Amino acid sequence: MSSSSLSSSSDAGAPGLRVTVSDVAAAAGVSRATATRALKGEGRFAPETQERILAEAERLGYVRNTMAAELAAGRTGTVGLMLRDASNPAYGLLFSRLQDEAHRRGLDLVTVTIGADVQGAEQVNALHRLLGMRVAGLIVATGGITAAQLEPFADQVPIVRAGRVETASGIHTAHYDDPEHGRMLASHVLSLGHRNVVVLSGAADVSFAEHLRASAMRETLVAGGASVTLLSAGAAPTEGVDEALAAVRDGATAVMCASDYRQLAVMRASRAAGLSVPGDVSVTGCDGILPGADLLGLTTLRIPVESVAAAAVETMQRLLSLDADSDPDSDSDSDSESTVRQAFVGTLVPGTTAAAV
């Protein structure tokens, strides 16, 4: 979790949050109340008093604990962010852009990252921890938690999903248009003349985004007159690759992968089997975020991470403003009418791993 943390340690040499307002007040020879107002820029003081307090704060290494101060007032302006493992380049870039956008808009993020998680149990626990910190809202940037698991939290704070589509009332989204991405890639493969195609994807409970892409690929390919072998695999990129190459040996001319990691796994296995890409088999992926994707010539679709991050933070900021301005005595319930749904379409990258037949 990346956040400022409180500590009760009295290590004399430690700076930052271990130095209190009382320490600054004692060093400056003023009351705690005077030091507090001066450090917050409130109240009127003689210039030399304000300068002395600020100088002592800097000398001692005092850092104002914004979250603690806001908790004392009964609320915080901090937003909780739950993120899928940031070692994945797509999630890493999303994290970076969310942080940048939050900083630009004056919001603070406290982040929890989640790796492998069976049935979303750890993610639910992480959300409870974030709410325990009295965050004002939640941005959920992982597809591994279901609507049913999220909905109870939507009664407490505004929630915005960043990346994944959502249909539950009261949960807002800024998401990738994964079905459209699948259609775009399949249309490209059809335009190259392929009519016997393998679609390799993670199952719906492994990656809902991959599932949506693959379903749209299959529908588009079938509508275009192609024969389709749909392989629904596990989380590991190598799963389903042997079956895909078996279909290639039986006559398939293209393997469409629902992620770039799966595309690379197919390319490696093809090389090991003595098959050339795209000479013997065309291969496509999706995400377009992998470092070096352009040098490898990957045929993929670049997801609009920047647009999704900007929209997610903008939506959260607006929801927090509405929350602050709302009438607590109002009985109106317009969640279903005001739920924000924003879909963003990426860019096709033709690359060199898919060729005409």
Side-chain angles (χ1 to χ4, degrees):
M1 180 181 297
S2 61
S3 66
S4 296
S5 58
L6 298 173
S7 173
S8 60
S9 170
S10 58
D11 187 356
L17 296 181
R18 296 180 180 127
V19 177
T20 68
V21 174
S22 297
D23 296 328
V24 175
V30 298
S31 70
R32 187 180 188 281
T34 297
T36 298
R37 290 196 300 273
L39 291 168
K40 292 171 66 176
E42 300 173 353
R44 295 181 180 178
F45 311 97
E48 58 270 19
T49 301
Q50 176 111 9
E51 290 173 8
R52 186 169 73 255
I53 293 169
L54 295 179
E56 290 299 333
E58 181 176 0
R59 182 182 68 81
L60 293 171
Y62 172 77
V63 177
R64 182 169 180 256
N65 190 331
T66 304
M67 181 171 284
E70 290 175 336
L71 281 172
R75 62 176 296 277
T76 77
T78 301
V79 174
L81 168 62
M82 188 168 71
L83 187 81
R84 188 73 172 266
D85 184 3
S87 64
N88 180 313
Y91 284 108
L93 180 60
L94 179 59
F95 173 62
S96 176
R97 292 296 180 263
L98 286 168
Q99 289 278 16
D100 290 346
E101 191 65 23
H103 178 74
R104 190 178 74 82
R105 291 182 174 273
L107 293 178
D108 293 319
L109 294 182
V110 56
T111 305
V112 175
T113 58
I114 301 293
D117 182 17
V118 179
Q119 299 181 337
E122 288 201 21
Q123 295 175 74
V124 171
N125 289 336
L127 290 177
H128 280 295
R129 291 199 302 274
L130 287 170
L131 286 184
M133 300 176 72
R134 301 295 190 272
V135 294
L138 294 170
I139 297 176
V140 179
T142 169
I145 188 167
T146 67
Q149 290 170 318
L150 268 184
E151 280 185 295
F153 296 95
D155 292 334
Q156 303 178 58
V157 294
I159 297 179
V160 178
R161 268 203 193 267
R164 172 177 163 168
V165 68
E166 184 54 78
T167 57
S169 174
I171 299 176
H172 311 269
T173 70
H175 62 274
Y176 307 122
D177 193 339
D178 287 308
E180 180 60 17
H181 295 163
R183 288 188 286 269
M184 291 167 69
L185 285 159
S187 295
H188 178 63
V189 169
L190 286 170
S191 75
L192 296 174
H194 296 276
R195 295 297 181 270
N196 190 343
V197 181
V198 178
V199 174
L200 175 58
S201 167
D205 61 347
V206 169
S207 172
F208 192 61
E210 287 192 26
H211 168 71
L212 291 176
R213 295 167 184 173
S215 298
M217 288 175 190
R218 180 183 179 280
E219 291 172 5
T220 304
L221 290 167
V222 170
S227 172
V228 179
T229 301
L230 179 61
L231 300 174
S232 186
T238 54
E239 293 191 45
V241 171
D242 290 342
E243 292 86 344
L245 292 189
V248 169
R249 286 188 285 269
D250 287 340
T253 60
V255 178
M256 297 192 67
C257 303
S259 75
D260 286 338
Y261 277 124
R262 294 190 191 276
Q263 180 182 18
L264 289 179
V266 170
M267 290 171 64
R268 289 190 187 98
S270 296
R271 175 179 291 183
L275 300 173
S276 69
V277 176
D280 296 316
V281 57
S282 289
V283 186
T284 68
C286 193
D287 281 338
I289 306 297
L290 282 177
D294 55 335
L295 297 177
L296 293 171
L298 300 186
T299 299
T300 185
L301 189 138
R302 209 285 189 176
I303 57 175
V305 175
E306 295 81 3
S307 298
V308 163
V313 176
E314 188 275 336
T315 298
M316 179 56 70
Q317 184 181 53
R318 185 154 51 85
L319 291 170
L320 295 180
S321 298
L322 290 173
D323 236 17
D325 295 339
S326 65
D327 179 1
D329 298 322
S330 172
D331 293 328
S332 64
D333 182 3
S334 58
D335 278 351
S336 60
E337 296 176 0
S338 60
T339 301
V340 178
R341 299 271 189 267
Q342 292 178 278
F344 296 89
V345 178
T347 305
L348 181 70
V349 181
T352 58
T353 59
V357 293

